[in-house]
Every structure is written in C-alpha cells, then in structure tokens.
Amino acid sequence: MNLLWDQHACLPLQVGTDVGVLSRFGRPGPTFVSVNAGYSPHSFADSVALLNYYRTAAACHPELAVIAAVDDIEAAGATGRIAVAFDLEDSNPLDGDLANVHAFADLGVRTLVPAYNHANRAGCGCLDTEDTGLTGWGRALVQEMNAAGMVPDGSHCSERTGLDMCEVSTLPVVYSHSCMRSVWDHPRNVTDDQARACAETGGVVGITGVGIFLGPNTPTPEAMIRHLEYAVELVGIDHVGVSTDHSFDAEDFVAEVAANPDLFDESYTRWGPICWMPPETFVALGGHLRARGWPDSDIGAVLGRNFERVARATWRDRDRVATVGS
C-alpha cells in the first residue's frame, strides 16, 4: 500500500479530548497524520500542555504511535498503527523566544506557520489589507526552524510573507493546507506565484479538504481534484500533496469563529457553517484519482511521498521526544 500522509488535521484544542478519533484515518499500510497543537490565541504553556496530553494519550492508544523520525512511520504502519506528529498554526505559542522552536521540536512539532490570518511579530497574514511580509524576527524564526528540523509553513500567511519565507529558508517550505486561488478566489488560497516559489524550494502545496477553500463550501473529491490537477499542471507532480485540515472539533471551531471575529472575516462565514472532507473520504481519494486516469506513481506522490521527501530533507531524527514542563 502507498504511504498516506495528512499534513494537518485538528483535534479539539483541549486537554482531555478523545485522540482516538484519529483512528478514522485507519487503513492497511503506513499512514501519517500531523495534529495541530495550537494557534494564535495560545501561549507556550498552553501548547506545551496540549502536546504533553496528546502525546501521552496517543501513546496509550493501540491504533496510534507518536513518532520521532520519518522511518518510524513505516514501522508504525507495519504494526497497524497510525503515525502521529504535530504542528503549530502561528508563532504566538513561542512567547517571542526563538529557543522555544527547539523545545517544540523536542515535543514532536515538525511544522510551524509564522502568522495565522493576521499580522504578528513574525509577519503578515492572509486576511491583512497591508502586506509587508516577514519581519526581521520572522526571518530569524525561519532560520531557527531550519536549524531545529521544523518545516516552515506558509498556510494562513500573506502572499508576501510566504514569498519571503521561500527566499529565506535554506530547506523546503510547504503550504501544508492551502488550495489554489486561480481555481477558487478565496484569501486563504495561494497564488500561482506562491506555489511556484514553494516548489522552487523543493516544497509541497497541500490541497486542503475545507469546503470554503475548495469552492462554495464543497468538500468533495471532485472539488479537490480540480485543485490538485491545476496545481500539478502548474508546478509539477513532485510538489503537490493533500492535507484534509479536518476539524474533529467542528462545533468548537464554528463557535471559535463567532467568538473571535478579529481572527476571521466574512470569507469564512458567507456560506454558512463550514463543511470538511472527512478522513474516510481522504482515505478513498486514490480510487477517485485512479478513475480520472492518474497513474499509481502520481497518486503515491501526491497522497504521501512528496511530503515524506520534505520531511526527510528537514526533520532532525531524535532518539526520544521529551516531556517539557509548562
């Protein structure tokens, strides 16, 4: 079976949540899921508490395995377990301290978005009206991520910030969960220039399964394939992947949008409650691509091997993942 790699999915951001829902990604063969562990409202202590809980709970679950190295994914798959690591959607959980990049890397965070939708100390977000790109601190952050083995992620960032990340980074940059703006004009989607710059770093654009980014709230295989095929035509088969961005906390997220209007805008709400592609549809996506005439090698690249290549180029293998005190 081909490797299946979901570069971004969302559990409820609460200690005590049921991590067992990740078993919905279950299938024969190696499977990797990156779980979000915090975004702009979270502090270092908040995200550390979440990571410590997620790690402990996943380690106790018979269908999950928290991994430290890329080769652990195949080993987990051989025993029927889903491999899990983590990501952050904003630099705010760093509490302004670049040393915390390494602390998070030791806790299993392998991908980080500098700015979630709006400007912060690192740079600008995709919903900002003024786009000044990465700040000096943001450039230092990208360099620290390179040193720590953490992948820079342009999803949620502004166009200029994303382009600056590609210029600064000495290792691949990804847009872990972003669709193509030329297919569907949403401010969260990436421009052709962003996708090309990402590919030039050796990176990957991960088409997301969020309905409002695929089209008018249409999280269907057909909508996703439109974005996939456009992206492949634009930047080549080696630079396209999939991230469901599936929200296991859908009701919580809808409430979060309502409670934090400063973090979102009407582009998130105009089509009603957001719909997500479920893991079960993602697991079956290869069949839809095969029916479209995609060769198995291309399906394997997009559904897993491209993100794996980025991980092998970036991650620093760790013999252990420590528990960091909050």
Side-chain angles (χ1 to χ4, degrees):
M1 293 287 291
N2 277 327
L3 169 66
L4 189 72
W5 188 296
D6 188 340
Q7 187 53 54
H8 181 74
C10 302
L11 290 171
L13 293 168
Q14 302 164 8
V15 170
T17 195
D18 177 17
V19 302
V21 293
L22 295 173
S23 63
R24 289 173 58 188
F25 286 98
R27 57 188 276 279
T31 303
F32 171 82
V33 180
S34 180
V35 174
N36 176 247
Y39 77 124
S40 52
H42 291 87
S43 67
F44 179 71
D46 293 334
S47 288
V48 165
L50 283 168
L51 285 160
N52 284 335
Y53 170 74
Y54 288 161
R55 283 186 39 75
T56 300
C60 293
H61 195 284
E63 297 177 68
L64 305 175
V66 178
I67 63 161
V70 178
D71 286 340
D72 295 342
I73 299 170
E74 295 281 350
T79 59
R81 294 177 296 163
I82 297 164
V84 177
F86 305 98
D87 61 73
L88 291 171
E89 289 185 292
D90 200 75
S91 55
N92 196 59
L94 296 172
D95 284 358
D97 186 349
L98 293 178
N100 285 335
V101 171
H102 297 268
F104 277 129
D106 286 341
L107 273 171
V109 174
R110 296 290 179 263
T111 314
L112 185 147
V113 171
Y116 184 92
N117 286 1
H118 291 291
N120 61 14
R121 185 175 181 178
C124 294
C126 63
L127 300 184
D128 287 324
T129 55
E130 183 180 2
D131 185 2
T132 55
L134 273 182
T135 64
W137 189 84
R139 290 172 180 267
L141 170 60
V142 172
Q143 293 168 350
E144 204 67 35
M145 290 167 67
N146 287 164
M150 193 180 292
V151 181
D153 184 354
S155 295
H156 290 281
C157 294
S158 69
E159 181 175 13
R160 183 72 256 165
T161 296
L163 293 172
D164 288 348
M165 288 168 62
C166 292
E167 178 184 299
V168 170
S169 182
T170 58
L171 293 169
V173 171
V174 301
Y175 285 89
S176 70
H177 54 296
S178 296
C179 293
M180 303 302 299
R181 196 175 299 184
S182 291
V183 177
W184 177 247
D185 189 10
H186 192 285
R188 258 283 281 117
N189 291 344
V190 300
T191 65
D192 289 1
D193 285 345
Q194 286 173 279
R196 291 190 191 98
C198 172
E200 287 172 3
T201 71
V204 175
V205 176
I207 302 302
T208 180
V210 179
I212 61 170
F213 307 148
L214 287 165
N217 222 359
T218 53
T220 63
E222 294 75 19
M224 177 173 277
I225 290 169
R226 283 197 296 273
H227 287 266
L228 288 172
E229 292 184 339
Y230 181 88
V232 168
E233 180 68 21
L234 180 71
V235 297
I237 194 65
D238 293 333
H239 302 289
V240 181
V242 176
S243 292
T244 63
D245 196 7
H246 181 74
S247 180
F248 291 99
D249 59 344
E251 291 184 5
D252 289 348
F253 185 81
V254 170
E256 189 85 358
V257 172
N260 294 283
D262 54 320
L263 295 179
F264 306 96
D265 67 9
E266 57 87 28
S267 69
Y268 276 75
T269 58
R270 71 173 68 161
W271 296 282
I274 299 171
C275 297
W276 285 267
M277 176 178 286
E280 294 81 2
T281 301
F282 172 49
V283 168
L285 185 61
H288 294 277
L289 295 173
R290 197 166 290 111
R292 289 276 297 175
W294 282 48
D296 286 347
S297 59
D298 287 0
I299 295 172
V302 166
L303 294 188
R305 295 301 174 187
N306 289 339
F307 274 126
E308 180 193 29
R309 184 193 68 250
V310 170
R312 288 195 181 279
T314 306
W315 296 7
R316 303 288 180 263
D317 286 355
R318 288 168 167 82
D319 293 331
R320 65 184 181 86
V321 179
T323 297
V324 176
S326 59

